[in-house]
Amino acid sequence: LKLLFYIAIIAGVILYIQDSFNLLDISFTDVKKENIKEEKQENGSESVTKKLEKNYVEIFFEDGEKITVDVEVADTEALRTLGLSGRKYLGDYNGMLFVFDNVVNNPFWMKDTYINLDIIFIDEQGFIIDIKKNNQPCTEEFCSYIFSSPMYKYVLEVNGGFSDLNGIKIGQSIVMYLD
């Protein structure tokens, strides 16, 4: 009986740590759980406040299907410069969304990045305009630059191979749900 009690306690601690830190990239909740942005809506005389649980983007296919990617947002120069450098792991449906103030054509690079990445360039209207697939980590002092031919306003970085695995193509639309 004591052994069963100890196993239950250990399992509870593991579940708590997993839920708090998402260390193993598994979830014990419904994957399609809707995230709702914090905003006030006026419904006649009542106002409703909703809360955004996390930032995410939805990538839409021609047939109306979609893929959801949870994202960290890099919307300042410091965050964009840091990017995913130093990361040794990125969840299968996780990524980083780079948000620029204006349409740009800045180069990206893989310095101090330890995982292969697909880099998806997105225009102001939310359409994918270029994809640079399976970019390798840079181990040299000088890293080559990764450019997009068209100018863009957003960039989504995901695991290398994500685009091919999920059928992501130029021309698809993306809807962003951000704080």
Side-chain angles (χ1 to χ4, degrees), residues 79-131:
L79 290 173
R80 288 189 294 262
T81 300
L82 181 62
L84 290 171
S85 63
R87 303 285 179 92
K88 294 185 178 176
Y89 176 78
L90 186 61
D92 291 341
Y93 289 89
N94 294 93
M96 179 168 279
L97 182 70
F98 294 79
V99 178
F100 295 89
D101 297 329
N102 301 304
V103 176
V104 296
N105 199 3
N106 300 338
F108 275 70
W109 67 344
M110 299 288 291
K111 183 157 179 30
D112 299 326
T113 304
Y114 299 113
I115 53 178
N116 296 354
L117 295 174
D118 282 1
I119 302 176
I120 302 170
F121 297 90
I122 306 159
D123 68 10
E124 256 181 315
Q125 289 77 35
F127 289 96
I128 296 173
I129 54 173
D130 199 0
I131 303 173

Side-chain angles (χ1 to χ4, degrees), residues 142-158:
F142 174 77
C143 296
S144 60
Y145 291 120
I146 302 161
F147 286 97
S148 168
S149 297
M151 296 191 53
Y152 55 86
K153 179 152 180 166
Y154 308 97
V155 171
L156 176 62
E157 289 186 345
V158 290

